[in-house]
Amino acid sequence: MITLRFVHADQSVQLVQAEAGQSLLKAAIDADIRAIEGDCGGTLTCATCHVMIGPPWAALLPPPVPDETDMLDYAASPVTPESRLCCQVRLTPELDGMEVRLPVAQH
Ligand code: FES
């Protein structure tokens, strides 16, 4: 198990236990992180799973594929260089302690 640190838009923090190997979207949904909706179920067609992942964690992730970058254009909240779609982030043991910032809105 790894621990993820979700930081809500109001700066409140929610710690979540997750399994390495699962997607960040599944970990968030299982933990009832309401700021992540994931309407398309992870098929990269909705952009309602927008999160921000900054240093040092971002460097441990594979870069986004072009389809992820394209879909971020449809995110409801401002996109930053740290923006990712969490359905595309696969959890690994190295991500233990990762901070995941949540946007104000997904719609
Ligand atoms: S859940 Fe729809 S793009 Fe990630």
Side-chain angles (χ1 to χ4, degrees), residues 12-40:
S12 62
V13 172
Q14 197 170 343
L15 298 179
V16 166
Q17 299 291 309
E19 299 275 357
Q22 68 181 171
S23 72
L24 178 54
L25 172 66
K26 181 165 185 353
I29 297 291
D30 287 353
D32 202 22
I33 301 288
R34 305 235 165 148
I36 293 179
E37 302 194 12
D39 290 348
C40 77

Side-chain angles (χ1 to χ4, degrees), residues 25 38-49 71 85-88:
L25 172 66
D39 290 348
C40 77
T43 58
L44 206 49
T45 55
C46 75
T48 63
C49 63
M71 189 53 61
L85 293 177
C86 71
C87 65
Q88 301 302 302

